[in-house]
């Protein structure tokens, strides 16, 4: 696969690196989500997701969404309750030997009343004929400092 380099490290075993151009394209892909959604360009979600994407909202008490049309419909249904601004930060891109790339990032959503919330995005991205696309996205709300962990005894 172009852009992936497999090497062996005696301490860690096989390691996969990803070309800088691919890392940049993937980071821009993750960032583009907020622009398209905030601008109401839901007709362009195919630029972000594979046709068979799974958008996992189980941590929010909802069933996963399957396919771009389901994501688009959910956004339209949410209507004015959608955040007015989606901001992504802390993007970490990790390539695996199977050709998939895993991306972990933080998201901040600003609502019309000025309140905000934080999520973690865990994405699997794959290279398609049209470029990198998200094939799986899991959203996890960030509501408790340190994810509720306390200092070990």
């Amino acid at each position: 696969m172009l852009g992936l380099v497999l090497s062996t490290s005696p301490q860690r075993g096989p390691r996969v690196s990803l070309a800088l151009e691919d890392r940049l394209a993937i980071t821009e892909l993750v960032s583009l989500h907020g622009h398209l959604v905030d601008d109401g360009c839901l007709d362009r979600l195919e630029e972000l997701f594979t046709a068979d994407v799974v958008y996992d909202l189980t941590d929010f008490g909802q069933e996963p969404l399957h396919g771009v049309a389901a994501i688009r419909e959910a956004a339209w249904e949410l209507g004015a309750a959608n955040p007015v601004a989606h901001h992504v930060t802390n993007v970490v891109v990790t390539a695996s030997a199977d050709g998939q790339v895993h991306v972990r990032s933080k998201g901040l959503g600003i609502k019309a009343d000025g309140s905000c919330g934080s999520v973690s995005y865990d994405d699997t991205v794959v290279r398609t004929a049209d470029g990198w696309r998200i094939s799986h996205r899991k959203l996890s709300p960030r509501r408790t400092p340190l994810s509720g962990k306390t200092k070990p005894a």
Side-chain angles (χ1 to χ4, degrees):
M1 177 172 277
L2 293 175
L4 293 176
V5 177
L6 181 62
S7 63
T8 302
S9 163
Q11 296 82 18
R12 293 184 246 171
R15 185 179 57 142
V16 178
S17 63
L18 191 62
L20 184 59
E21 294 82 6
D22 289 318
R23 288 182 176 279
L24 179 59
I26 291 165
T27 301
E28 287 184 354
L29 170 72
V30 172
S31 297
L32 182 60
H33 171 263
H35 291 287
L36 294 183
V37 173
D38 295 347
D39 291 344
C41 297
L42 302 180
D43 58 326
R44 293 179 53 194
L45 293 182
E46 288 83 1
E47 294 177 33
L48 304 174
F49 302 110
T50 60
D52 62 348
V53 63
V54 174
Y55 202 89
D56 187 345
L57 299 166
T58 55
D59 287 353
F60 289 89
Q62 300 176 32
E63 293 293 319
L65 303 172
H66 296 272
V68 175
I71 297 169
R72 183 179 295 117
E73 184 59 29
W76 285 128
E77 289 295 319
L78 198 54
N82 278 293
V84 296
H86 291 78
H87 300 282
V88 68
T89 185
N90 300 61
V91 179
V92 178
V93 179
T94 306
S96 61
D98 63 3
Q100 290 188 341
V101 177
H102 303 280
V103 183
R104 185 159 171 84
S105 59
K106 298 287 188 177
L108 295 170
I110 312 298
K111 296 210 168 211
D113 67 2
S115 65
C116 68
S118 179
V119 299
S120 290
Y121 293 115
D122 287 292
D123 296 331
T124 300
V125 298
V126 295
R127 189 191 308 271
T128 72
D130 295 318
W132 291 99
R133 296 292 185 268
I134 299 167
S135 64
H136 187 274
R137 170 168 273 190
K138 178 172 178 55
L139 275 72
S140 302
R142 309 308 307 169
R143 296 181 179 136
T144 308
L146 304 176
S147 293
K149 295 178 183 166
T150 58
K151 183 178 177 180

